Amino acid sequence: MKIAILDDYQNVALSFADWDSLGAEIEVFTEYIGDREELVRRLAGFEVVVAMRERTRFDEALLSRLPDLRLLVSTGRRNAAIDVAAANRLGVVVSSTGYIAHPTAEHTWALILAASRNLPTEFQSMRDGGWQRTVGTGLHGKTLGLLGLGRLGAQVARIGQAFGMETIAWSQNLTRERAAEHGVTAVTKADLFNQSDVVSVHLVLSDRSRGLVGADEFALMKPSALLVNTSRGPIVDQDALLDALRRKAIRAAAIDVYDEEPLAADHPIRELDNAVLTPHIGYVTREVYQVFYGDAVEDIAAYQAGSPIRVMEP
C-alpha cells in the first residue's frame, strides 16, 4: 500500500502516530501543491491520501484523475474541500478523524490580545534594542461581538466574560434563549457591528456566510474596533477588509485565515501595520495533531482490515 500525507508544512506527521504499524510505503508532502497537473502527477499510484483539513481541494475533476485512490482521509469531521459524493461514485471511501476545538478558541484570544496591546510592534522594538512604542487598549468593560455562537463562539464568549467584557452575538438562526444559555445577548447583525469593540468570526463557510462581512459591515464598525477572523477567509470580503484597514476605518484586524492559502508572499495585507497576521495556525497544536494523525492511522488500519470507520457521508 502507498500512502501520501499531504501539506505537512512542519514535516511532523510521522512523529505523531505509529505509521510503521501499517506496513505501508509512506510519502510526506511538506509543500503545498497548487498546480493541478503536478498534483495529479505526484499522487499517481497512491491508494491512500491523508488530507490536512481543507488545504487541498478534492473535487470530482481531480478525483476522477486518481484511479488508484481508494481511501481519502480528512483530518477533522467536516471538510468543504472534498466532494464526498463524487468520491463515493468513483469508489473512494472518505474517512474523517476527531477534532479538538479549544486550541482555535485559545488562538482567537492570542490574536485579540496581540492586536489590543500592539504586541507585534512591541516585540520588534525589544528585538531592535528599543523600549515602549505604543499605547495599548484594555478589554475590561468593552463589548465582544460574536458572529456565530456555536461551540467555538461559546468558548470565546466565556473567555471574554472572564476579562469583564459584555458579550453579544448574531447569526441567522441564533435565538435569544440560546444566547442566554451562554450569558450572551442576541442582537441584530447591524447592532453587533455597531456596538462591538471586538468582532470575532465563528461561522462555517457556506453560500450564506461567504462575503458576510463586507463594506457595509465595516461602515457600521467603530473606528476603534478590532475584527478577528479565525474561521474561514472568504467569510470576510478581502477587498473591503483591505480598504477598511488602509483608510483606518477600523483600528486593526487580526487574521488567521485567508481566501487562498498559503498566503501569497506579495499579498498587500502583509504590508499593513494595522493587520496582525498568523498563518492559519489556530488548530496547529500538538494535541490536535495527535488526534488527527492518530485517528488517520486508525482509519487506514480499519480500511486495510476491510471495515472502514468514521466514514463521511455526502
Side-chain angles (χ1 to χ4, degrees):
M1 175 182 286
K2 292 184 65 177
I3 301 171
I5 302 175
L6 294 186
D7 301 317
D8 180 15
Y9 298 153
Q10 300 94 345
N11 196 21
V12 296
L14 296 182
S15 67
F16 280 103
D18 184 10
W19 296 91
D20 291 340
S21 66
L22 299 173
E25 178 184 339
I26 301 173
E27 183 173 349
V28 176
F29 294 78
T30 58
E31 299 293 332
Y32 173 71
I33 305 172
D35 182 82
R36 182 58 63 95
E37 294 302 318
E38 182 183 1
L39 186 62
V40 170
R41 179 180 62 80
R42 296 189 67 178
L43 291 184
F46 284 99
E47 183 178 351
V48 178
V49 172
V50 179
M52 172 54 73
R53 301 299 288 132
E54 297 171 353
R55 293 175 182 174
T56 297
R57 183 171 182 78
F58 285 88
D59 54 19
E60 185 167 13
L62 175 61
L63 291 164
S64 65
R65 298 181 65 186
L66 301 174
D68 298 306
L69 182 63
R70 289 294 175 266
L71 175 66
L72 180 56
V73 178
S74 167
T75 51
R77 298 188 181 93
R78 181 190 294 115
N79 194 324
I82 296 176
D83 187 337
V84 178
N88 292 170
R89 288 195 299 271
L90 293 165
V92 179
V93 175
V94 183
S95 288
S96 65
T97 73
Y99 183 64
I100 302 173
H102 60 260
T104 301
E106 294 169 358
H107 190 68
T108 298
W109 277 99
L111 287 174
I112 292 172
L113 292 168
S116 297
R117 301 303 292 269
N118 307 308
L119 294 187
T121 297
E122 300 298 355
F123 288 158
Q124 191 60 50
S125 176
M126 293 297 287
R127 288 187 181 277
D128 293 342
W131 199 236
Q132 297 178 8
R133 297 281 177 85
T134 66
V135 177
T137 299
L139 298 172
H140 185 88
K142 300 295 198 306
T143 298
L144 169 64
L146 300 150
L147 271 181
L149 196 63
R151 179 173 52 176
L152 266 171
Q155 290 183 23
V156 172
R158 287 195 296 273
I159 298 171
Q161 290 158 3
F163 275 106
M165 300 186 76
E166 298 294 325
T167 50
I168 61 176
W170 174 87
S171 70
Q172 289 172 321
N173 297 319
L174 181 64
T175 64
R176 292 181 179 180
E177 292 76 17
R178 171 64 176 166
E181 291 175 8
H182 300 286
V184 176
T185 302
V187 297
T188 66
K189 181 183 175 186
D191 283 345
L192 182 132
F193 283 96
N194 185 258
Q195 296 174 17
S196 296
D197 298 290
V198 177
V199 174
S200 191
V201 181
H202 301 287
L203 296 169
V204 174
L205 179 61
S206 67
D207 290 340
R208 293 195 306 176
S209 65
R210 187 179 298 272
L212 186 68
V213 183
D216 291 344
E217 287 70 36
F218 285 116
L220 292 171
M221 294 176 68
K222 302 175 183 180
S224 58
L226 166 66
L227 175 77
V228 185
N229 189 6
T230 56
S231 183
R232 289 293 182 269
I235 294 173
V236 178
D237 182 277
Q238 179 178 262
D239 291 338
L241 172 62
L242 286 169
D243 177 67
L245 291 173
R246 286 168 174 157
R247 293 188 296 103
K248 311 293 186 188
I250 61 173
R251 188 175 70 82
I255 306 294
D256 187 49
V257 290
Y258 309 90
D259 284 11
E260 294 185 6
E261 299 180 1
L263 186 68
D266 60 351
H267 195 286
I269 199 170
R270 291 182 184 265
E271 303 172 0
L272 301 180
D273 59 9
N274 56 348
V276 176
L277 309 176
T278 53
H280 202 161
I281 56 172
Y283 65 94
V284 181
T285 64
R286 298 187 61 84
E287 294 78 9
V288 171
Y289 274 21
Q290 285 167 353
V291 172
F292 278 176
Y293 291 123
D295 284 2
V297 169
E298 289 182 4
D299 288 346
I300 298 168
Y303 165 78
Q304 287 177 321
S307 300
I309 59 174
R310 289 187 282 263
V311 175
M312 295 175 65
E313 299 295 333

